[in-house]
Amino acid sequence: MNAPSDKLDAGTAVLCRDATVTYPGGVCALDRINLSVRQGERLALVGPSGCGKTTLLRVIAGLQPLTGGVCQRSGGGTQRSGGASQRSGVVTQRSKVETQRADSRAGDRRSVATSFVFQQPALLPWANVLKNVTLPLSLGRRRDRPSATEMREQALAAIHEVQLTDAAKRFPHQLSGGMKMRASIARALVTRPEFLLLDEPFAALDDLLRNQLGRLLLQLWRHHRFTSVLVTHNIAEAIQLSERICVMHQGRIVSELDNPLSTSDPHDDLRRTSEFGVFFGRVSDTLEKAASPDMEGSFA
Amino acid sequence: MNAPSDKLDAGTAVLCRDATVTYPGGVCALDRINLSVRQGERLALVGPSGCGKTTLLRVIAGLQPLTGGVCQRSGGGTQRSGGASQRSGVVTQRSKVETQRADSRAGDRRSVATSFVFQQPALLPWANVLKNVTLPLSLGRRRDRPSATEMREQALAAIHEVQLTDAAKRFPHQLSGGMKMRASIARALVTRPEFLLLDEPFAALDDLLRNQLGRLLLQLWRHHRFTSVLVTHNIAEAIQLSERICVMHQGRIVSELDNPLSTSDPHDDLRRTSEFGVFFGRVSDTLEKAASPDMEGSFA
Amino acid sequence: SQRTEVTSGDTADDSIRDVSVQLNWYPEVEHGGVYQSVADGTYESMGLNVEIQPGGRATPVAPELAMGRSQFAITNADDVVLFRAQGADVVAVMAAVQDHPRCILVRADSGVESLDDLSGMTLQRQAGRAFLAFLEKRGYLKDVRQVPYHNSIAAMVTDPKIAVQAYSVAEPLIAEQQGLEVRTLMVSELGWNPYSSVLVTTGDMIRESPEVVREMVEGTVAGWNQYLTSPEEANEAILDANKHGMTEEALRFGAEQMIPLAMPSGKNAEVGTMSSVRWQELVDQMIELELVDTDSVKAEDCFTTEFLTPAE
Amino acid sequence: MSDELSDNPGPTRESGREIAWTVLAVIAVAAIGIVGWHLIVVLFDLPKLLLPTPWQVAEAAWQHRMVLLDSGWITLWTATVSLFVAVIVGGGVSVLFSQSRLLRRALFPYVVFLQTVPIVAIAPLLVIWSGYEFRTAVIATVIICLFPIVNNVTTGLTSVRSEHEDLLRMYGATRWQRLCRVQLPTAVPFLVLGARISSGLAVIGAIVAEFFVSNGADYEGLGAVMTGWQARTMTDALMAALAVSTLLGLILFGGVNLLSRLFLKRYLLVN
Amino acid sequence: MSDELSDNPGPTRESGREIAWTVLAVIAVAAIGIVGWHLIVVLFDLPKLLLPTPWQVAEAAWQHRMVLLDSGWITLWTATVSLFVAVIVGGGVSVLFSQSRLLRRALFPYVVFLQTVPIVAIAPLLVIWSGYEFRTAVIATVIICLFPIVNNVTTGLTSVRSEHEDLLRMYGATRWQRLCRVQLPTAVPFLVLGARISSGLAVIGAIVAEFFVSNGADYEGLGAVMTGWQARTMTDALMAALAVSTLLGLILFGGVNLLSRLFLKRYLLVN
Ligand SMILES: Nc1ncnc2c1ncn2[C@@H]1O[C@H](COP(=O)(O)OP(=O)(O)OP(=O)(O)O)[C@@H](O)[C@H]1O
Ligand SMILES: Nc1ncnc2c1ncn2[C@@H]1O[C@H](COP(=O)(O)OP(=O)(O)OP(=O)(O)O)[C@@H](O)[C@H]1O
Ligand SMILES: [Mg+2]
Ligand SMILES: [Mg+2]
């Protein structure tokens, strides 16, 4: 199914064409989404609760099969309608089998190391924080897998970055809500991914930590130039951490805004500048307009 | 154990004296907390992740046994050290049995109807949104329980308030993260509680919804004058929704700030006023000071 | 016993042969002759090292022979016919008990005097046994409720309406010990009388090692003769092999009961003998009872008396 | 088999195509097994009464088809009724157990007793007390199938998630409400798991009970038929009967699965 | 009993006091049961052959204590070995099943076969193939205990939470990694549940197997002893043997619980 015509341009990390997801219940979570993400770009997705942000992120990650359209990821697999039953052990249509193989092979090779911070922490309850964070390092078929001590050190470093060092030996059920999310963030960062998907990673954290982790992200980005897609409800956060902001509403991308402030080094006073205020207002207005009754009518 | 000397003043809703919680692992989540909440007061708890906010809320709700000190709630039970194994079916010490009985009786009578929005949505996975929201109405020994249709109507009203009407028939696994939290909020509001405990209820929601629900809370409060304790990371939210802000750090309440803006009607422009900015800065500074190294030393 | 000495002399220079005898049930008086010859060294003196393999519930006698794990077995004549009908080449070479000890046990106060009065009773029996088909065919079991046998006579204690399948050499004593007066109704008197305690082997064995078969037959006949005279030594061996299911008393009683069954005429020479008339009668009966198909078994294949007569 | 617990509830998951594949796979395995069996018999030249060929078994099954059908039906009925009773009784016992830790601890050893006592040993006693009746066979079978239900359902009822516990305490749920609203729904997947195990045990239990309980006239199940055939060393017919008993097991097992899918699906989803 | 799944892991939960209470409760129930039993015997004037008094049973137990001890030990050993083998084999089969839906569907009916086939019916065949050996008893017992393990563990292995599935896919876990890191830990509570059921079945299985296998003089477990006593209608001794078999069941059951608490605790916590 990896037909040559499907190949991505060199500089494109993700390309969705008419990507559509309708859940079994009949809910259309994604409605003909067209989106392209450049290599090394930092994209933010904002939009009201239930508009399909998580679904889009999962489609990009290859976790959610499409019911229509195509979504390609460079070095990863191609999601298209038809590859529906990805978790089934029995696949009957030949095309399905192939799609699936391509996907899983892609996952195994991990030509592009991808990390996902899920909206829920999704920690393994039987493993302590350290083990949970080490997990991604020990998975996959990588030849150059680090030694156990190296893994441990890298994991401890990531845990330190999210300020969980004291709780490294605790089990998930012994953590507070925010601590669980931090462990989950550490798990995503520990592999130094080339492609980072973040689903409201900082929602459960206080501003101080949020800013620190935001700075950490930007700092990592300056070193590694990974591609990232960030879902957030916090417009300020979206502005500080992204180069482009896509506003979603009811399964569609209703607006794409280039972030004029993206090149600036993040400093705490950024929020107090007038450019920030202006752009904040623009994003905010777009969101509100999307939710206003007349717009709603056009999407219903 | 409900000795007369333990009786609360008429106007006090909650009184904690030296309330201490040390978890089995040895973590001291609450360290001699002293706190009193007046009837009808709106209190906010802010503090860094892992500082013990959830634990304190659970102590107030009577869900978390203390390992030291006392916590009393008017019309509710008394939490004190010694009532440790509340979920055990076998209690050997006479005093324990009594404590437990007192607690559960208090829960049954619900002399003060209490609701808790947990940090995690805690929905019943086998029930749809409507059934989940109806649950609190149908529990307990209330003589004046509403009829099935009344319960349904009240639940639908609460669901409408959190804008989930379209999803009323969906099951939790078919909801987005924010929708789950909204269902959880609806479940807490449906009983029109006299005592409301909210653990980061709006963290997973976008600003628009957050503001709307905040307004809803204030509106309900104007009608019912319930007592409420709100845990939040969002200082602006704390300012808009509370009369007093307690700043916590490492299991202690390091500062209590009376909110000078609490009386004002909440309007969107409140945030742009200078008083808001000043108070915001004060709370923010208190938080940061608590987290700064030298302060940290004094708590360690 | 003189013959035994001669034979042992003949085979003295042969190496000792190991043979195994598979019993069809837990060790009991029906296996007395074999235990006797093992215990008093008769087999050994003939150059046979006999190992007795006790049986039990659902012991696969014919398969044990077919697999060659045992060279001989003790079973009932009717089973021999059944085995042959199933294609197993099992041949009877000696029959220790002439009159089958099969009986129906009823309480003395049941009002049942003979097997003709059984109607209205509940009979505990092991389904599939040939004697049942016989009784049924002859109409003795009309209006008799047939239920499974529980390997015990306990049910009779509470209910006089219960009859139990039994062996006249065993259960009557148990009933007596429990203070229960019982009546023993022999099935053999009605004309169903296959040989019991039959020593069988395979056709291959007879063709390939006739001398071993002969020694085995002679040793077993000698053992039975001895056992019917003085069973004490063998009974001890049986008790040892079945210490939970047997008592000394039961064995003594059984051995006593065995004498008229093994020697209806009272003559020692009768022990072990078989006649083609009775085999033919048995096969005919079983065909009539539809237990085996016509022509599937020939009476003359079922047994051979060649080892019962002294070697030429 | 056990995918309800993990798969999304897509309405098209159980497509006809997939069922066809399953049937094909099962048949393929059966074919391989039968050919292998035949080869073994032929190669080792085994006598029929030791191990008949598949063909001989099929012939025997055909020859005795009426007997197999009748007695199989009786056994199926016994097993079904017993499984039903076991689920009801076991569920009831588990509910009792879930209400008090002391009760649970005091009585659990006696439930283990029921599980450990060889039915073969107590069947005669049961018969004396209850007679050669369908009822007696059901009692014996229920004794055999009870434990998996009690063990699993009790575990399920006491496995309420701590967040739901909190919820119940907050709103002052009574014991009864707690049981109906949270404990029972939590226990459903455990019940299904236990009922599946018991569905197999019910068939074997019914057969074993029939070894002791059947009466020639009106109650003669597979167990009784098998005893007779065993006594006559009819190995081929016996194996046909074994095949029927397996079929019964599969029917009950499938029935439990089907019922749970139809009526309990929402409780089986792990979210 | 089944509290590991729901209770917080407080180190003092299982205090000595609580254990004492449990023992007391169990004994109290036993006392009530024994008195009731005695009254029944006396009131209905039941003959000893039918139902002996508790005292007569105790006497018989004392009289036959050496036999009970020896044979009980042998049966316990058979049951323990069989349970162990069943866990290993059942776990292995389940792992196979968890790897392919097709395989699972193709072979599951044959596992149900093992569960449904009355051991009483195939014991003679087993004896033919494997002889009057300890081995044969173990095989028969394993057949009896296998299904609860396979059924539960397979369900467990295929019940991985969808969030963990996502995690595994994200990081390109291999089948092996998936199995070890997530599937097996997820299956542990199911395994414990199954092993508990099988612990009872193992005892009953061992006893039934001994009915058939231990006719030889060199191998004599409870089952063999019970057959003998049954033939002699020694109801009192028989009941003493039943009591011993229950004790064995409790020992195995307790052993499974203890081992799971000691080594698998972290996997049993529902958070
Ligand atoms: N498994 C599912 N089955 C059916 N419907 C679903 C499922 N998951 C999500 N939905 C629906 O799809 C829509 C989009 O969900 P999604 O989780 O993508 O929203 P979101 O933008 O991430 O929202 P939030 O900000 O609240 O997390 C919602 O209406 C939701 O109810
Ligand atoms: N069940 C538990 N066992 C052991 N330690 C626990 C447990 N629950 C919480 N803790 C620890 O207690 C401390 C306070 O936890 P708490 O949940 O009250 O924090 P919080 O203020 O709500 O944090 P957050 O904002 O991240 O939710 C944390 O260090 C946490 O790790
Ligand atoms: Mg989302
Ligand atoms: Mg918290």
Side-chain angles (χ1 to χ4, degrees):
Chain A
M1 296 294 276
N2 255 325
S5 64
D6 284 354
K7 276 270 175 283
L8 286 176
D9 292 338
T12 312
V14 176
L15 183 63
C16 291
R17 277 175 295 165
D18 286 333
T20 302
V21 171
T22 309
Y23 282 109
V27 180
C28 182
L30 293 187
D31 186 9
R32 281 164 287 133
I33 293 275
N34 285 301
L35 175 72
S36 104
V37 184
R38 291 188 308 281
Q39 297 275 13
E41 185 180 7
R42 284 171 294 134
L43 181 76
L45 286 177
V46 298
S49 166
C51 69
K53 305 180 295 295
T54 299
T55 308
L56 181 53
L57 223 56
R58 286 171 50 83
V59 165
I60 294 173
L63 296 176
Q64 175 70 50
L66 291 172
T67 52
V70 189
C71 180
Q72 289 173 275
R73 190 152 57 86
S74 83
T78 300
Q79 287 286 331
R80 57 171 79 237
S81 51
S85 93
Q86 303 241 350
R87 270 169 56 210
S88 142
V90 182
V91 190
T92 46
Q93 286 181 309
R94 193 158 167 68
S95 65
K96 280 191 196 172
V97 177
E98 282 185 351
T99 312
Q100 209 190 5
R101 285 229 189 95
D103 283 350
S104 62
R105 233 186 296 126
D108 290 346
R109 272 191 279 118
R110 284 204 290 168
S111 26
V112 170
T114 310
S115 280
F116 199 140
V117 179
F118 299 99
Q119 196 166 3
Q120 310 294 330
L123 302 173
L124 304 179
W126 52 80
N128 62 22
V129 171
L130 180 58
K131 287 263 173 62
N132 263 295
V133 174
T134 318
L135 183 77
L137 293 173
S138 67
L139 291 183
R141 288 225 180 85
R142 296 198 292 168
R143 287 284 147 75
D144 54 341
R145 180 169 309 149
S147 71
T149 21
E150 276 172 343
M151 284 202 255
R152 196 186 144 86
E153 268 163 32
Q154 290 177 23
L156 283 173
I159 290 170
H160 184 75
E161 279 164 355
V162 297
Q163 300 174 23
L164 268 184
T165 309
D166 290 347
K169 288 287 165 67
R170 285 196 221 161
F171 286 85
H173 70 99
Q174 299 175 311
L175 300 179
S176 75
M179 290 162 95
K180 279 186 212 158
M181 269 321 287
R182 282 188 272 160
S184 168
I185 295 168
R187 182 178 59 192
L189 296 182
V190 74
T191 54
R192 298 289 175 238
E194 295 160 62
F195 199 149
L196 189 55
L197 298 160
L198 303 140
D199 198 352
E200 302 188 33
F202 309 140
L205 304 180
D206 52 300
D207 285 347
L208 212 67
L209 210 54
R210 191 189 283 254
N211 287 336
Q212 284 170 6
L213 291 179
R215 269 198 295 272
L216 173 69
L217 269 189
L218 286 174
Q219 191 185 321
L220 289 175
W221 182 77
R222 276 201 302 276
H223 278 85
H224 304 287
R225 295 279 158 176
F226 50 75
T227 315
S228 81
V229 182
L230 167 76
V231 168
T232 179
H233 287 307
N234 193 316
I235 299 172
E237 196 172 276
I239 297 172
Q240 281 174 305
L241 297 180
S242 75
E243 296 167 325
R244 188 156 55 109
I245 298 179
C246 286
V247 179
M248 288 187 70
H249 185 77
Q250 296 203 341
R252 308 200 69 160
I253 293 179
V254 291
S255 178
E256 299 193 21
L257 304 165
D258 279 315
N259 183 355
L261 306 163
S262 72
T263 47
S264 37
D265 241 356
H267 51 93
D268 291 351
D269 295 334
L270 178 67
R271 293 196 184 195
R272 300 195 181 143
T273 62
S274 64
E275 295 101 312
F276 185 91
V278 171
F279 188 59
F280 190 103
R282 243 181 91 198
V283 177
S284 212
D285 288 350
T286 317
L287 263 169
E288 271 175 55
K289 210 160 64 198
S292 69
D294 53 328
M295 273 298 263
E296 196 139 34
S298 76
F299 291 125
Chain B
M1 297 295 276
N2 253 327
S5 65
D6 284 354
K7 277 268 176 282
L8 285 177
D9 292 339
T12 312
V14 176
L15 183 62
C16 291
R17 276 174 293 162
D18 287 334
T20 303
V21 170
T22 309
Y23 282 110
V27 179
C28 182
L30 293 187
D31 186 10
R32 281 164 286 135
I33 292 274
N34 285 299
L35 175 72
S36 101
V37 184
R38 288 188 310 282
Q39 298 275 14
E41 184 180 6
R42 284 172 293 133
L43 182 77
L45 285 178
V46 299
S49 165
C51 70
K53 304 180 295 294
T54 299
T55 308
L56 181 53
L57 223 55
R58 286 170 50 85
V59 165
I60 294 173
L63 297 175
Q64 175 70 50
L66 291 173
T67 52
V70 189
C71 182
Q72 290 172 277
R73 192 152 56 83
S74 81
T78 299
Q79 286 286 329
R80 58 171 78 238
S81 51
S85 92
Q86 304 240 348
R87 269 170 55 209
S88 141
V90 182
V91 191
T92 46
Q93 285 179 310
R94 194 158 166 68
S95 65
K96 280 192 195 172
V97 175
E98 282 185 351
T99 311
Q100 210 188 2
R101 286 230 189 96
D103 283 351
S104 61
R105 234 186 296 126
D108 289 346
R109 272 190 280 117
R110 283 205 293 169
S111 24
V112 170
T114 309
S115 279
F116 198 142
V117 179
F118 299 99
Q119 195 167 6
Q120 311 293 330
L123 301 173
L124 303 180
W126 51 80
N128 62 22
V129 171
L130 180 59
K131 286 262 172 63
N132 263 295
V133 174
T134 317
L135 183 78
L137 293 174
S138 66
L139 291 183
R141 289 224 180 86
R142 294 199 293 168
R143 287 285 146 75
D144 55 339
R145 181 170 309 149
S147 73
T149 21
E150 275 172 344
M151 284 202 257
R152 197 187 143 88
E153 268 165 30
Q154 289 178 24
L156 282 174
I159 290 171
H160 184 75
E161 279 165 353
V162 296
Q163 302 176 21
L164 269 184
T165 309
D166 289 346
K169 287 287 162 68
R170 283 195 223 160
F171 285 85
H173 70 98
Q174 297 175 312
L175 300 179
S176 76
M179 290 162 96
K180 279 185 213 162
M181 270 321 288
R182 282 187 272 159
S184 169
I185 294 168
R187 182 178 59 193
L189 296 182
V190 75
T191 53
R192 297 289 176 240
E194 295 160 60
F195 198 151
L196 189 56
L197 297 161
L198 302 141
D199 197 351
E200 303 188 33
F202 308 140
L205 304 181
D206 52 299
D207 285 347
L208 213 68
L209 210 54
R210 191 189 284 254
N211 288 336
Q212 283 170 8
L213 291 179
R215 267 197 296 273
L216 174 67
L217 269 189
L218 285 174
Q219 193 183 318
L220 289 174
W221 182 77
R222 274 200 303 277
H223 279 84
H224 304 287
R225 294 279 158 177
F226 51 75
T227 316
S228 82
V229 182
L230 167 75
V231 167
T232 179
H233 286 307
N234 193 315
I235 299 172
E237 196 172 277
I239 296 172
Q240 280 173 305
L241 298 180
S242 75
E243 295 166 327
R244 187 157 56 110
I245 299 180
C246 286
V247 180
M248 286 187 70
H249 185 75
Q250 296 203 341
R252 310 200 67 160
I253 293 179
V254 292
S255 179
E256 298 193 20
L257 304 164
D258 280 316
N259 183 358
L261 306 163
S262 72
T263 47
S264 38
D265 243 356
H267 51 92
D268 290 351
D269 294 332
L270 178 68
R271 293 197 183 197
R272 301 200 180 139
T273 62
S274 64
E275 295 101 311
F276 185 90
V278 171
F279 189 59
F280 189 103
R282 241 183 92 199
V283 177
S284 209
D285 287 349
T286 316
L287 261 170
E288 269 174 57
K289 211 160 62 197
S292 69
D294 52 327
M295 271 299 263
E296 195 139 36
S298 76
F299 292 124
Chain C
S1 59
Q2 221 177 358
R3 198 169 58 212
T4 312
E5 278 159 35
V6 172
T7 315
S8 86
D10 281 354
T11 55
D13 22 85
D14 284 8
S15 55
I16 298 276
R17 288 168 183 276
D18 291 322
V19 295
S20 165
V21 183
Q22 173 69 54
L23 307 185
N24 60 340
W25 193 245
Y26 301 96
E28 55 183 6
V29 288
E30 272 200 274
H31 312 123
V34 183
Y35 276 97
Q36 179 68 43
S37 286
V38 171
D40 66 14
T42 306
Y43 289 133
E44 208 178 340
S45 68
M46 302 171 94
L48 292 177
N49 179 24
V50 174
E51 191 206 349
I52 300 174
Q53 181 63 55
R57 286 176 212 244
T59 302
V61 172
E64 288 285 339
L65 288 174
M67 300 268 294
R69 270 212 293 258
S70 292
Q71 290 72 40
F72 296 93
I74 305 290
T75 188
N76 291 320
D78 48 330
D79 286 331
V80 174
V81 178
L82 283 175
F83 294 156
R84 289 204 71 84
Q86 297 286 330
D89 188 10
V90 174
V91 182
V93 289
M94 184 222 95
V97 178
Q98 302 293 316
D99 284 342
H100 205 286
R102 171 67 66 206
C103 63
I104 305 285
L105 220 56
V106 293
R107 271 165 60 155
D109 58 357
S110 63
V112 178
E113 301 287 335
S114 77
L115 286 170
D116 298 309
D117 313 331
L118 272 182
S119 85
M121 299 285 286
T122 297
L123 173 63
Q124 285 195 341
R125 92 294 181 237
Q126 236 172 330
R129 291 279 167 210
F131 79 92
L132 288 167
F134 173 82
L135 291 178
E136 231 158 51
K137 189 89 178 178
R138 298 289 148 91
Y140 292 102
L141 298 184
K142 216 176 270 164
D143 299 324
V144 171
R145 193 159 76 135
Q146 297 186 44
V147 300
Y149 175 53
H150 293 167
N151 203 19
S152 136
I153 58 154
M156 291 178 81
V157 176
T158 45
D159 190 354
K161 282 282 155 207
I162 284 186
V164 178
Q165 75 169 40
Y167 268 19
S168 62
V169 297
E171 278 85 355
L173 175 71
I174 294 175
E176 193 181 298
Q177 285 171 338
Q178 300 292 340
L180 207 63
E181 264 186 69
V182 293
R183 197 164 287 135
T184 307
L185 311 172
M186 298 303 293
V187 180
S188 56
E189 286 163 10
L190 300 177
W192 173 260
N193 192 16
Y195 294 115
S196 169
S197 294
V198 177
L199 180 70
V200 297
T201 186
T202 59
D204 284 343
M205 191 73 193
I206 290 175
R207 280 183 291 279
E208 283 158 22
S209 325
E211 67 291 350
V212 176
V213 180
R214 175 171 297 279
E215 285 158 14
M216 187 69 200
V217 170
E218 287 176 0
T220 311
V221 171
W224 271 108
N225 275 317
Q226 179 61 33
Y227 183 72
L228 293 168
T229 326
S230 60
E232 291 77 19
E233 195 180 3
N235 279 352
E236 219 166 274
I238 294 173
L239 188 61
D240 196 47
N242 186 6
K243 40 184 175 298
H244 307 299
M246 275 296 153
T247 59
E248 203 193 321
E249 200 185 359
L251 287 167
R252 203 178 324 118
F253 171 83
E256 234 164 71
Q257 299 293 308
M258 208 55 141
I259 297 169
L261 298 175
M263 304 182 291
S265 60
K267 296 199 195 78
N268 264 39
E270 201 177 359
V271 173
T273 56
M274 298 185 289
S275 80
S276 55
V277 177
R278 280 188 61 188
W279 274 105
Q280 188 62 54
E281 186 191 359
L282 176 65
V283 171
D284 290 345
Q285 277 178 329
M286 290 183 73
I287 290 171
E288 184 204 342
L289 299 174
E290 292 169 26
L291 291 170
V292 297
D293 295 334
T294 324
D295 300 333
S296 66
V297 190
K298 289 204 183 66
E300 56 266 34
D301 298 336
C302 292
F303 76 107
T304 172
T305 52
E306 77 172 281
F307 304 106
L308 287 168
T309 49
E312 311 286 276
Chain D
M1 306 281 78
S2 44
D3 305 350
E4 310 92 310
L5 279 167
S6 71
D7 287 352
N8 278 324
T12 53
R13 305 285 301 199
E14 285 293 304
S15 64
R17 218 181 210 139
E18 212 165 293
I19 289 173
W21 267 101
T22 302
V23 171
L24 221 76
V26 171
I27 291 176
V29 173
I32 293 172
I34 286 173
V35 169
W37 169 6
H38 191 90
L39 283 181
I40 287 177
V41 174
V42 171
L43 285 181
F44 293 92
D45 195 21
L46 297 177
K48 181 180 167 191
L49 92 181
L50 193 59
L51 185 66
T53 61
W55 180 244
Q56 287 167 330
V57 172
E59 271 185 338
W62 179 248
Q63 189 192 332
H64 301 286
R65 62 190 177 282
M66 289 319 292
V67 177
L68 286 175
L69 213 70
D70 286 351
S71 61
W73 178 251
I74 287 176
T75 302
L76 181 61
W77 181 235
T78 313
T80 310
V81 171
S82 306
L83 181 61
F84 186 76
V85 173
V87 167
I88 302 290
V89 173
V93 169
S94 304
V95 166
L96 258 181
F97 281 3
S98 75
Q99 295 305 305
S100 150
R101 194 178 178 123
L102 189 65
L103 201 68
R104 185 158 77 238
R105 306 205 148 202
L107 292 182
F108 217 99
Y110 302 94
V111 181
V112 174
F113 167 72
L114 279 188
Q115 159 89 342
T116 328
V117 64
I119 206 74
V120 185
I122 58 161
L125 286 178
L126 279 181
V127 167
I128 289 171
W129 292 325
S130 171
Y132 295 94
E133 307 282 344
F134 175 71
R135 178 181 65 208
T136 316
V138 170
I139 294 174
T141 312
V142 168
I143 288 179
I144 289 183
C145 338
L146 202 62
F147 188 73
I149 308 275
V150 174
N151 180 55
N152 278 22
V153 177
T154 304
T155 302
L157 290 172
T158 53
S159 294
V160 171
R161 286 162 163 258
S162 61
E163 65 214 60
H164 296 156
E165 291 277 7
D166 288 347
L167 204 62
L168 290 168
R169 287 199 66 187
M170 269 329 291
Y171 295 110
T174 60
R175 259 171 199 273
W176 178 247
Q177 289 165 345
R178 180 185 148 84
L179 179 69
C180 297
R181 302 305 173 81
V182 177
Q183 287 187 299
L184 287 177
T186 306
V188 164
F190 293 83
L191 171 67
V192 171
L193 217 57
R196 273 195 209 154
I197 295 174
S198 289
S199 68
L201 286 180
V203 174
I204 196 178
I207 290 177
V208 171
E210 285 160 3
F211 286 157
F212 297 91
V213 175
S214 62
N215 66 55
D218 54 313
Y219 181 65
E220 193 159 67
L222 266 186
V225 169
M226 283 165 81
T227 332
W229 288 346
Q230 196 171 42
R232 289 165 59 186
T233 54
M234 290 163 62
T235 317
D236 48 357
L238 203 62
M239 295 199 105
L242 285 184
V244 172
S245 82
T246 302
L247 204 69
L248 300 188
L250 285 176
I251 290 173
L252 267 190
F253 186 86
V256 168
N257 273 356
L258 192 74
L259 285 181
S260 66
R261 270 175 200 228
L262 285 181
F263 299 112
L264 303 171
K265 186 140 198 171
R266 76 168 64 162
Y267 303 106
L268 297 177
L269 287 168
V270 165
N271 64 334
Chain E
M1 310 277 80
S2 44
D3 305 349
E4 311 91 312
L5 278 168
S6 71
D7 289 356
N8 278 325
T12 53
R13 305 285 300 199
E14 284 293 306
S15 63
R17 221 180 207 140
E18 212 164 292
I19 290 173
W21 266 101
T22 303
V23 170
L24 221 76
V26 170
I27 291 176
V29 173
I32 294 172
I34 286 174
V35 168
W37 169 7
H38 191 89
L39 283 181
I40 288 178
V41 174
V42 171
L43 285 182
F44 294 92
D45 195 21
L46 296 176
K48 182 181 167 188
L49 186 69
L50 200 58
L51 186 64
T53 61
W55 179 242
Q56 286 168 330
V57 172
E59 271 186 337
W62 179 248
Q63 189 192 332
H64 300 287
R65 63 190 177 280
M66 288 319 292
V67 175
L68 287 175
L69 211 71
D70 286 350
S71 60
W73 178 251
I74 287 175
T75 302
L76 180 61
W77 181 235
T78 313
T80 310
V81 170
S82 305
L83 182 60
F84 185 78
V85 173
V87 167
I88 302 289
V89 172
V93 169
S94 305
V95 165
L96 258 180
F97 281 4
S98 76
Q99 295 305 304
S100 150
R101 193 177 177 124
L102 189 65
L103 200 70
R104 185 157 74 241
R105 307 207 146 200
L107 293 182
F108 216 98
Y110 303 95
V111 182
V112 175
F113 166 72
L114 279 188
Q115 160 88 342
T116 329
V117 64
I119 205 73
V120 187
I122 58 160
L125 288 178
L126 281 182
V127 168
I128 291 169
W129 293 324
S130 171
Y132 293 97
E133 307 280 345
F134 177 72
R135 181 181 63 208
T136 314
V138 169
I139 293 174
T141 313
V142 167
I143 288 179
I144 289 182
C145 330
L146 202 61
F147 188 72
I149 307 274
V150 174
N151 180 55
N152 278 22
V153 177
T154 304
T155 302
L157 290 171
T158 53
S159 295
V160 171
R161 287 161 162 257
S162 62
E163 65 214 58
H164 297 157
E165 292 276 7
D166 288 347
L167 203 62
L168 291 168
R169 285 197 67 186
M170 268 330 290
Y171 295 110
T174 61
R175 259 171 199 272
W176 178 248
Q177 289 165 345
R178 178 185 150 85
L179 180 68
C180 298
R181 304 303 174 80
V182 178
Q183 287 187 297
L184 287 177
T186 306
V188 163
F190 294 82
L191 170 67
V192 172
L193 219 57
R196 273 197 208 154
I197 295 173
S198 289
S199 67
L201 287 179
V203 175
I204 196 177
I207 289 176
V208 172
E210 284 161 3
F211 285 159
F212 296 92
V213 176
S214 66
N215 307 320
D218 53 331
Y219 174 75
E220 199 161 62
L222 267 185
V225 171
M226 284 165 81
T227 320
W229 288 347
Q230 194 171 42
R232 285 164 61 193
T233 53
M234 290 164 58
T235 317
D236 48 357
L238 204 61
M239 295 200 105
L242 285 185
V244 172
S245 83
T246 302
L247 203 70
L248 299 187
L250 286 175
I251 290 173
L252 268 190
F253 186 85
V256 167
N257 273 356
L258 193 74
L259 284 180
S260 66
R261 272 176 198 226
L262 284 181
F263 299 114
L264 303 171
K265 187 138 199 174
R266 76 167 64 164
Y267 302 107
L268 297 177
L269 286 168
V270 165
N271 66 334

